Amino acid sequence: KTLQVPHMVYSDKVDMSALRQCRLDMREMAERKGVSISYLSFAVKACSLAMMEIPILNSSIDTEEMTLTLHASHHIGVAIDSPKGLVVPVIRNYQ
């Protein structure tokens, strides 16, 4: 049944220099607050914005009914390696 679910892979090159500078500019403020800003933070935000701009990215397919459902809200999970194994915290209703 897994082979029936559509898969999508996309690859592109982007100029990250503005994002790199933004992260560097925010680093001192973040350190004062005791947090770190990684590129992952920006990637998660970019995914959320993309799902709001292109709703089909936040959809699911019912292969039995052959229907496509666009979801109004979205949840984003990011896999993190921990001493106890892989953990996937989910940010619910991220939009």
Side-chain angles (χ1 to χ4, degrees), residues 3 8 10 12 17 21-22 26 31 51 53 56-57 60 62-63 68 72 77 84 90 93-94:
L3 296 176
M8 181 180 111
Y10 178 79
D12 207 341
S17 56
Q21 188 58 52
C22 177
M26 296 175 73
E31 287 175 353
M51 285 187 274
E53 187 174 327
I56 199 166
L57 294 176
S60 59
D62 182 329
T63 56
L68 177 72
K84 293 184 178 184
V90 177
N93 301 309
Y94 189 76

Side-chain angles (χ1 to χ4, degrees), residues 59-79:
S59 64
S60 59
I61 296 175
D62 182 329
T63 56
E64 291 180 14
E65 296 293 324
M66 293 307 293
T67 58
L68 177 72
T69 302
L70 301 178
H71 303 286
S73 61
H74 56 269
H75 315 300
I76 297 178
V78 178

Side-chain angles (χ1 to χ4, degrees), residues 4-73:
Q4 295 176 345
V5 178
H7 292 72
M8 181 180 111
V9 176
Y10 178 79
S11 178
D12 207 341
K13 292 183 180 182
V14 295
D15 179 1
M16 297 284 289
S17 56
L19 179 59
R20 182 178 178 276
Q21 188 58 52
C22 177
R23 182 174 172 258
L24 289 172
D25 292 345
M26 296 175 73
R27 181 179 285 168
E28 185 180 323
M29 176 193 62
E31 287 175 353
R32 283 195 310 264
K33 294 180 183 258
V35 297
S36 63
I37 298 175
S38 70
Y39 290 111
L40 180 60
S41 306
F42 293 98
V44 169
K45 183 62 176 179
C47 288
S48 176
L49 292 172
M51 285 187 274
M52 291 189 323
E53 187 174 327
I54 308 167
I56 199 166
L57 294 176
N58 188 34
S59 64
S60 59
I61 296 175
D62 182 329
T63 56
E64 291 180 14
E65 296 293 324
M66 293 307 293
T67 58
L68 177 72
T69 302
L70 301 178
H71 303 286
S73 61

